[in-house]
Amino acid sequence: MATETVGTPASLASGNTKVYRNFIDGEWVESSTGETFEDRNPADTREVVAIFQKSGKDDVNAAVEAARLAFERWRLVPAPRRAEIVFLAAEMLAERKEEYSRDMTREMGKVIKETRGDTQEAIDTAYYMAGEGRRMFGPTTPSELPNKFAMAVRHPLGVCGMITPWNFPMAIPSWKLLPAIVCGNTCVIKPAQDTPLSTFNLVRALVDAGLPKGVINIVTGFGASVGGPLTEHPEVRAISLTGSTAVGRTVGVTAAKSFKHCSLELGGKNPMIVLDDANLDLAIEGGLWGGFGTTGQRCTATSRIIVQKGVYREFVDRYVARAKKLKIGNGLDETVDVGPAINEAQLKTDLSYVDIGRDEGAKLACGGNRLDKGDYQYGFFMEPTVFIDVDSKMRIAQEEIFGPVVSILPCDGLEDAIEIANGVEYGLSSSLYTRDVNKAFAAMRDLYAGITYINAPTIGAEVHLPFGGTKATGNGHREGGIGAIDFYTEWKSVYIDYSDKLQRAQIDRPE
Ligand code: UN1
């Protein structure tokens, strides 16, 4: 067992299906429960991509203990040295990009050009965070007293727990793990049960780059039996979750009880506004990419398109015509535009919103059906679906669906559009198509969301800018760039008095 590396787990199953064990303290360890689960291809469920451990509380405890011990050594490794490992991992990820992206399409379903983008996002994050090893700036500032020096330095927190989603199975773990380790923390990660392989691939690159044992530990399994104990564990100092608003509420409440740092990236209902003066070709192109890219399974997905009345009909007709032409299928086929839903439950949710929309009186302009003939029968495929003439009060215009279902709403102008855009419980991403610079700047100010795009859809955030949202999208933290460094460190203020006498702050006031 000890001779295995992250990339070559011993096969416990017959045939070619790999069985991954948990990765704890640099060793491959079977779960304490003795149970496993299958990672199946959502485009063809006959294919078992790999088998993973169905872990429990004891496994979490073992991983946290390993991380706790590793922290005592890792925090003392100079940050530039820690960052060199991350830099080397970036180079390895770049070399392995095609292999890891294909693995990701097989386990997650999204089309290969998008999984290449997901792997690239992890590479970008690695290069950025490797640079942070030589920055991690803090303020030095004058003291109010003579012969006294004052500064603030960043300290790591200790053991950090990460709970990651299936829709960006390498990028999002990288957003969390890489800043955490560059800052000197150690980690226990629970990847989504639908897509653990991509986390193993990411960590494999880090281990091959020289990451010491215990710095990152992987415990696979389900929310209640792994995510719960990780969030409750008294030795875990920070929890970072990307997931649904419902799970975020539970994790936030649980983490607060032991005063953990807690970063929540949750749901979205992202609006794209198209004004009469917009470049319609561009807006249609953007709305298709934002709405149906990743099968609509991004928290940044363009799920509402709010179109000014002067161009509404033309936009709707052309958008729907294009949506009908999107090619649906197995993401390994380079010509496919839209892959499957991640699993049966998600597909059912997506289809249930078709009924909800119809019942509410929205007009179904295209799609709405499951595809289950021929090769489609083995996967979770659905037609790209567009509702038009949607009212902003309707559930399909308010609730996060996380599937290929787009609602188009008419509006009178920018003011009306912004009111509709802001009138939901979420505030992640937003977008405006216009050629009028005054309107663009007004929207940048008035759209209440963590991200605003002008003349681009709501997806496509870059890793060095803050990522996160307002209201029920999160709890005020930001991932990406400096926001991540802020989350994975805490400040220590340091005062050095070299006057050789007692100097009392606020009391002694030298001339
Ligand atoms: C997510 O949907 O959870 O901005 C993350 C984007 C991607 C990340 C999405 N870079 O669309």
Side-chain angles (χ1 to χ4, degrees):
M1 191 168 85
T3 57
E4 294 157 23
T5 73
V6 180
T8 56
S11 180
L12 298 180
S14 57
N16 292 326
T17 309
K18 279 184 178 175
V19 178
Y20 282 77
R21 294 168 174 157
N22 286 327
F23 187 61
I24 299 177
D25 208 20
E27 302 280 335
W28 288 91
V29 193
E30 274 174 48
S31 81
S32 57
T33 67
E35 291 175 57
T36 57
F37 65 93
E38 293 172 340
D39 176 8
R40 283 186 183 261
N41 181 343
D44 185 342
T45 54
R46 293 170 299 178
E47 183 190 2
V48 180
V49 178
I51 290 172
F52 292 92
Q53 305 297 306
K54 195 170 176 185
S55 311
K57 188 174 178 177
D58 290 346
D59 305 303
V60 172
N61 289 346
V64 172
E65 182 58 11
R68 195 184 65 77
L69 292 171
F71 176 64
E72 290 311 322
R73 301 182 296 271
W74 185 241
R75 74 186 177 90
L76 300 177
V77 175
R81 296 276 96 81
R82 297 194 295 249
E84 277 168 20
I85 294 173
V86 172
F87 186 89
L88 206 55
E91 308 268 87
M92 290 179 173
L93 287 170
E95 270 168 33
R96 302 170 188 176
K97 181 170 167 181
E98 193 57 25
E99 177 196 342
Y100 288 175
S101 304
R102 295 184 81 80
D103 279 352
M104 198 188 299
T105 291
R106 284 168 58 227
E107 73 167 348
M108 191 271 165
K110 69 182 166 184
V111 299
I112 184 75
K113 66 172 177 291
E114 290 193 40
T115 53
R116 287 183 193 124
D118 194 313
T119 308
Q120 186 60 45
E121 198 159 336
I123 296 167
D124 296 343
T125 303
Y127 282 130
Y128 179 90
M129 289 303 163
E132 269 304 322
R134 285 187 186 269
R135 286 190 293 267
M136 287 178 65
F137 297 135
T140 55
T141 183
S143 164
E144 66 189 46
L145 291 159
N147 297 323
K148 191 177 169 192
F149 183 88
M151 63 182 169
V153 292
R154 291 180 182 274
H155 275 205
L157 309 171
V159 180
C160 299
M162 284 106 183
I163 303 172
T164 51
W166 46 260
N167 67 336
F168 275 79
M170 188 177 285
I172 291 180
S174 82
W175 294 357
K176 301 181 193 300
L177 291 171
L178 302 181
I181 63 175
V182 166
C183 292
N185 302 283
T186 55
C187 309
V188 177
I189 182 165
K190 185 205 100 64
Q193 62 267 20
D194 286 303
T195 56
L197 179 57
S198 297
T199 295
F200 279 87
N201 284 342
L202 172 65
V203 174
R204 178 175 150 196
L206 287 158
V207 170
D208 290 349
L211 192 76
K213 66 181 190 143
V215 174
I216 294 179
N217 306 272
I218 310 174
V219 181
T220 55
F222 293 77
S225 42
V226 179
L230 188 59
T231 310
E232 283 161 13
H233 201 295
E235 292 290 346
V236 172
R237 294 307 332 134
I239 285 283
S240 179
L241 164 85
T242 300
S244 69
T245 292
V247 172
R249 193 167 278 119
T250 309
V251 166
V253 168
T254 307
K257 289 183 188 158
S258 46
F259 306 110
K260 291 177 172 54
H261 291 213
C262 179
S263 168
L264 305 172
E265 295 295 348
L266 311 173
K269 190 72 189 173
N270 311 292
M272 175 179 132
I273 301 169
V274 182
L275 297 183
D276 282 348
D277 74 337
N279 175 340
L280 269 204
D281 294 339
L282 192 67
I284 288 162
E285 206 68 50
L288 289 163
W289 171 229
F292 299 113
T294 327
T295 319
Q297 300 175 126
R298 294 197 193 204
C299 49
T300 51
T302 306
S303 50
R304 296 181 292 155
I305 305 183
I306 304 165
V307 187
Q308 196 170 1
K309 282 178 177 151
V311 289
Y312 183 80
R313 275 297 137 206
E314 184 185 350
F315 182 91
V316 161
D317 291 346
R318 292 175 57 192
Y319 186 84
V320 170
R322 288 283 306 277
K324 283 182 184 162
K325 291 210 180 88
L326 292 170
K327 184 168 172 190
I328 305 146
N330 188 318
L332 287 178
D333 176 346
E334 302 266 359
T335 65
V336 161
D337 301 304
V338 182
I342 185 69
N343 55 34
E344 182 90 51
Q346 183 61 53
L347 180 66
K348 279 195 176 136
T349 303
D350 300 346
L351 292 167
S352 77
Y353 274 98
V354 176
D355 295 334
I356 291 168
R358 269 205 200 100
D359 292 348
E360 289 176 310
K363 210 154 124 201
L364 182 63
C366 69
N369 299 304
R370 180 174 188 165
L371 296 166
D372 52 10
K373 304 272 178 312
D375 283 348
Y376 289 133
Q377 68 183 297
Y378 304 111
F380 306 118
F381 294 100
M382 170 180 174
E383 294 169 335
T385 300
V386 182
F387 277 107
I388 60 170
D389 303 346
V390 174
D391 184 275
S392 63
K393 301 273 178 312
M394 291 178 183
R395 286 182 62 194
I396 54 167
Q398 289 287 328
E399 298 174 15
E400 183 175 53
I401 300 173
F402 227 68
V405 183
V406 170
S407 294
I408 305 186
L409 300 82
C411 73
D412 295 327
L414 183 62
E415 222 175 291
D416 183 32
I418 287 178
E419 200 177 313
I420 295 170
N422 289 344
V424 293
E425 67 167 320
Y426 303 107
L428 180 53
S429 189
S430 55
S431 118
L432 171 69
Y433 280 78
T434 183
R435 286 173 165 125
D436 183 333
V437 69
N438 296 355
K439 288 185 174 139
F441 270 86
M444 282 184 252
R445 182 193 59 206
D446 294 338
L447 284 166
Y448 187 42
I451 304 170
T452 294
Y453 293 88
I454 303 297
N455 294 326
T458 58
I459 67 175
E462 301 178 28
V463 302
H464 51 298
L465 277 79
F467 184 91
T470 61
K471 299 187 277 185
T473 293
N475 61 346
H477 290 286
R478 293 290 184 268
E479 301 197 277
I482 199 72
I485 301 299
D486 287 339
F487 181 71
Y488 290 107
T489 55
E490 52 198 351
W491 289 112
K492 175 176 280 188
S493 298
V494 181
Y495 302 95
I496 302 123
D497 192 319
Y498 54 100
S499 70
D500 244 356
K501 60 181 187 226
L502 175 66
Q503 300 196 89
R504 296 168 299 177
Q506 294 90 36
I507 294 170
D508 297 328
R509 297 180 66 82
E511 292 306 304

